[in-house]
Structure formats: C-alpha cells, structure tokens
Amino acid sequence: GIGYAPRNENGRGYTWTIDKLKAEGFTLEEMVAAGVARDGEEGRRAIDTFRDRVTFEIADASGKIIAFGGRALKKDEKAKYINSPECVLFSKGRTLYRLKQAREIASKTKASGLVVAEGYLDVIAFERAGSGAVAPMGTSLTEEQLQLVWRASGEPILCFDGDEAGKRAADRALDLALPHLGPDRTIKIAYAPNGEDPDDIFRRAGAGALASLLAAASPASDALFERERARRPLTTPEARAAFKTALKGAANKRAAPDTKRLYFSDLMA
C-alpha cells in the first residue's frame, strides 16, 4: 500500500495523475470530488493533489481505499505530510490508518489490543515487528477513532513519539478516554524514549525493542497519577491537597458511577 506520486515526465508539470485519469475516461470534476486533484493557485488550472510524494493508501474498516496520505521527499516543502481532502468517502476524524490489517494481526497473534501510534511509518514499524497498529490522520486522536479502536480490541496501547508533541498527544488521549473508561474499556500508554519514535526504535534495535516498549506500557490510572504528580512539587500540604483534588476530579469524569470509587481507590493506593 505504499507508492509514489510523480510529476510529469519532464519533471516540472503538476498534472501526471490528471492526465492518466483523463485517458481512462474520468472527468476533472470527479477527480476533484475524490481528492486526487485540486484547483491550482492564483487561477492556474487544476493540479494533482499529490506530486513528488511517497503515498500511503488509506482504507475504511472493510479495506476499501478511500483516500491517500503523502509524505514530501523535499525538505523545503511547506507540509511534510498531507492527506486527501475530506469528501463524501473520507473523514479524517472517523478513519484510522491500517485498521483492517491491524485487526487481522491482533486476531492472529491473540493480542489483548491494538497499538495506536502517531504516523504511517510508526504503524508500518509495528506491523513489521508483528503488532497490529493504527494511526489517526495527522491530527489528535478523536473520540470516534478511540471508539473504533475499542470495538476492534479490548485494551489498546497508545504509543506516541518521545518528544514534547508526543507527550501532549498522550495527555490529550488520556483526557479523551477518561469519561469512557470501565471494566471492558481500558487503555495503556507506552512512552517512547526522548527524541525517538517507534520507527526510530525499530530501525535501531529491531522488533524486540518495540515489544519491550509495549510490555512496559502503563495502565491509565498509573499514567494519570504520574502526570498529575509531575505537575507540582508535593512538598507542602497545599500541594498534596491540590494533587488529591486533581486525581479525584479525574476519577469523577468516569461515566459509570459504580466504578468511580474503585478507580479512585486505584489512583490513591
């Protein structure tokens, strides 16, 4: 499912895909509606959406291709990654990269859950290492995507990049999951080493290193406890009280009243 979207044969044009599809009988209006072509800047004629980029097939839950992602090959491109625009077939917030394949791998390996990574290359690294993984479409994980992961598996592991952006993504995902957590809906969070992402780890140390990273994943209660503890020095009674209040507030976000007390007990143990 990985390809390349070229420029024209002379290396300068932006209509290679348009020309090929026109020759096959498609109209420009259909190409624009499907997201593989777009209007050119400053009144120029329509151009290919993807050109001079590595391309990744994006499919729906049944495996039908509905969009593409593209990674720039040149360092000076304005956007390193782009996706097909939203259309009748494709909604970024409701789609996960490689969901069908991840479910198949998890079923075959009897894994307790899917891995949720940040990007295409991280998903590919996990897949090469034998773990079923998915990724959102270059944006924060949405509630719809989290529900898809839960329906596919019982206990997903969120594994984002080991930089500040990755830590913020993990925090947002934890907050997103909190109101929905219960006995049959849990998450774990795996923290990549500083400055590395799963693809880096796989290239550096192989499948065993990724397996170890996942094995060390923290339950949601532990991740929340450590996050709140790191936000303030617990050197005064006031700080400790604020810490306890923050944990209690997080526990009260739980949807099921009968499990709130149990969850809070876990946090405070």
Side-chain angles (χ1 to χ4, degrees):
I2 302 174
Y4 171 66
R7 294 174 183 258
N8 288 51
E9 291 178 5
N10 60 17
R12 294 192 297 272
Y14 297 158
T15 60
W16 187 93
T17 302
I18 291 174
D19 296 341
K20 292 290 183 183
L21 291 177
K22 277 185 176 178
E24 293 184 22
F26 292 96
T27 67
L28 185 58
E29 289 74 18
E30 288 171 327
M31 297 178 218
V32 172
V36 295
R38 63 182 177 83
D39 294 332
E41 292 90 355
E42 300 177 0
R44 289 191 294 231
R45 67 180 183 137
I47 57 177
D48 296 347
T49 302
F50 304 95
R51 56 194 183 281
D52 201 22
R53 288 178 180 266
V54 175
T55 56
F56 303 86
E57 294 176 353
I58 299 171
D60 62 17
S62 68
K64 179 182 178 181
I65 298 171
I66 56 174
F68 294 94
R71 186 189 191 281
L73 294 176
K74 294 184 177 179
K75 292 183 178 180
D76 59 351
E77 288 285 353
K78 292 180 181 178
K80 184 176 180 180
Y81 284 95
I82 61 172
N83 290 323
S84 294
E86 301 227 354
C87 64
V88 66
L89 292 176
F90 174 56
S91 171
K92 285 192 293 187
R94 298 190 182 114
T95 306
L96 286 166
Y97 178 61
R98 301 288 286 180
L99 177 59
K100 181 177 184 289
Q101 292 84 355
R103 289 189 306 194
E104 291 170 351
I105 293 171
S107 175
K108 191 177 299 183
T109 60
K110 302 191 185 309
S112 59
L114 304 185
V115 179
V116 180
E118 274 195 63
Y120 307 123
L121 296 180
D122 298 323
V123 168
I124 292 166
F126 277 117
E127 196 166 312
R128 291 175 69 190
S131 296
V134 297
M137 301 289 101
T139 59
S140 298
L141 190 69
T142 67
E143 185 169 332
E144 290 91 340
Q145 289 167 334
L146 186 57
Q147 297 291 348
L148 281 174
V149 175
W150 269 326
R151 285 199 291 271
S153 63
E155 189 176 44
I157 299 177
L158 312 185
C159 185
F160 299 127
D161 296 353
D163 55 16
E164 288 304 315
K167 292 173 184 174
R168 289 194 297 271
D171 281 346
R172 285 193 297 268
L174 180 57
D175 290 332
L176 180 71
L178 274 176
H180 307 284
L181 294 179
D184 58 345
R185 289 199 169 188
T186 61
I187 63 168
K188 287 186 174 182
I189 298 180
Y191 295 96
N194 286 337
E196 288 194 309
D197 59 34
D199 181 52
D200 296 327
I201 296 168
F202 180 76
R203 291 171 183 273
R204 172 177 59 79
L210 283 185
S212 297
L213 177 65
L214 297 180
S218 301
S221 56
D222 291 352
L224 180 62
F225 185 94
E226 293 301 328
R227 183 185 79 178
E228 296 301 329
R229 184 169 66 175
R231 285 179 172 176
R232 59 186 71 75
L234 302 180
T235 55
T236 65
E238 293 81 7
R240 290 192 290 272
F243 174 51
K244 185 174 181 179
T245 298
L247 292 180
K248 189 172 183 179
N252 285 334
K253 291 180 180 179
R254 294 293 298 281
D258 59 333
T259 61
K260 286 179 185 176
R261 291 188 299 276
L262 291 173
Y263 184 65
F264 185 54
S265 298
D266 289 343
L267 289 171
M268 300 307 294

